């Protein structure tokens, strides 16, 4: 409960809920298939801002001297715990936000089951939230500056979520779910890249903490 209060303060919960509601109101969609395409990149941006201070909050709240007493292992465990709490929250928010778009009465092919549309979205959402959350937190820790971490993450997001990013990386783009074509399974390559990068960043997390304080 203590960690939950630290990483999910009321103001974060409030602005994240407002973000999802506004997204469903202003982001037009034409079909059920396009709901996930609208949510995943937008929620990735939210994850960048939402999770950037996962570790840096100790500086901001002036608890750093006490936090530094803990061992590297203890600090790493606390960071992973906070990331898990925030990641689960963002995933649940995204999955619930999916249904907010139905007020627009999007076209739906009744011959296909909505389950086969929703399940890939769930998978893409979970991995996207994990990737962008960990990336933002890692960059902030590396540069020891929250705005540098957010800024670089947003630049990377803009580069990957673009025509150039789609053309350059193709199915290996972390936004492969958004750019998927007729091949219904090629986008899984991009998801595999996300998993590998997430594991790599989590692996180097204690190293960064040790080197950068």
């Amino acid at each position: 409960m203590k960690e939950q209060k630290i990483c999910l303060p009321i103001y974060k919960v409030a602005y994240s809920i407002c973000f999802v509601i506004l997204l469903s109101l202003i982001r037009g969609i034409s079909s059920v298939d396009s709901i996930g395409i609208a949510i995943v990149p937008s929620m990735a941006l939210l994850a960048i801002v939402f999770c950037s201070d996962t570790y840096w909050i100790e500086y901001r709240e002036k608890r750093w001297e006490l936090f530094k007493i803990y061992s590297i292992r203890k600090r790493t465990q606390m960071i992973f715990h906070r990331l898990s709490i925030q990641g689960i929250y963002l995933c649940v928010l995204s999955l619930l936000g999916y249904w907010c778009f139905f007020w627009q009465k999007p076209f739906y092919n009744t011959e296909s089951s909505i389950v086969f549309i929703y399940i890939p979205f769930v998978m893409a959402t979970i991995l996207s939230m994990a990737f962008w959350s960990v990336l933002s937190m890692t960059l902030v820790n590396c540069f020891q500056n929250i705005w540098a971490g957010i800024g670089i993450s947003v630049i990377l997001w803009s580069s990957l979520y673009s025509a150039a990013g789609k053309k350059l990386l193709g199915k290996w783009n972390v936004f492969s779910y958004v750019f998927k074509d007729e091949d219904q399974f090629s986008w899984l390559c991009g998801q595999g890249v996300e998993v590998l990068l997430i594991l790599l960043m989590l692996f180097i997390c204690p190293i960064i903490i040790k080197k950068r304080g």
Side-chain angles (χ1 to χ4, degrees):
M1 291 298 295
K2 180 180 178 181
E3 292 299 326
Q4 183 175 330
K5 290 180 180 179
I6 291 175
C7 59
L8 289 180
I10 295 177
Y11 77 91
K12 274 191 172 185
V13 174
Y15 78 65
S16 59
I17 292 176
C18 289
F19 179 87
V20 173
I21 294 175
L22 288 174
L23 180 65
S24 67
L25 293 176
I26 65 177
R27 180 64 161 84
I29 49 100
S30 58
S31 66
V32 173
D33 291 326
S34 61
I35 297 178
I37 295 174
I39 292 180
V40 171
S42 300
M43 289 299 293
L45 269 181
L46 177 63
I48 289 173
V49 177
F50 198 90
C51 299
S52 60
D53 65 350
T54 300
Y55 186 56
W56 201 251
I57 193 173
E58 299 299 328
Y59 285 96
R60 192 184 68 198
E61 299 298 328
K62 299 180 180 180
R63 295 191 299 260
W64 175 243
E65 293 300 326
L66 178 62
F67 196 65
K68 198 172 182 179
I69 297 175
Y70 297 146
S71 65
I72 299 297
R73 181 179 179 181
K74 177 68 173 179
R75 279 184 268 174
T76 303
Q77 290 176 342
M78 292 177 71
I79 290 173
F80 289 175
H81 189 195
R82 292 177 185 179
L83 279 174
S84 299
I85 293 172
Q86 294 174 118
I88 291 173
Y89 169 76
L90 290 173
C91 285
V92 172
L93 188 62
S94 298
L95 299 182
L96 293 177
Y98 183 93
W99 304 103
C100 293
F101 281 83
F102 277 82
W103 76 268
Q104 299 185 36
K105 298 181 180 179
F107 169 77
Y108 171 58
N109 185 357
T110 55
E111 294 182 359
S112 59
S113 173
I114 195 170
V115 173
F116 294 106
I117 299 175
Y118 193 63
I119 289 179
F121 164 73
V122 172
M123 179 180 176
T125 295
I126 292 173
L127 291 178
S128 181
M129 294 302 97
F131 173 73
W132 292 102
S133 299
V134 176
L135 175 66
S136 178
M137 182 272 298
T138 301
L139 289 174
V140 170
N141 293 347
C142 283
F143 291 95
Q144 293 189 317
N145 186 295
I146 191 168
W147 297 113
I150 292 176
I152 295 173
S153 298
V154 171
I155 291 173
L156 183 59
W157 178 92
S158 301
S159 301
L160 295 175
Y161 184 50
S162 65
K166 177 182 178 181
K167 183 178 181 180
L168 181 64
L169 298 176
K171 65 181 181 180
W172 301 103
N173 193 314
V174 296
F175 285 119
S176 57
Y177 170 80
V178 178
F179 298 139
K180 62 183 178 181
D181 50 25
E182 288 78 11
D183 186 348
Q184 294 297 313
F185 298 101
S186 62
W187 65 277
L188 293 174
C189 296
Q191 307 306 291
V193 171
E194 280 188 313
V195 171
L196 292 176
L197 292 175
I198 291 168
L199 293 176
L200 175 61
M201 288 186 287
L202 292 178
F203 176 76
I204 67 174
C205 181
I207 299 175
I208 295 173
I209 294 174
K210 183 177 181 179
K211 295 292 184 181
R212 303 295 287 172

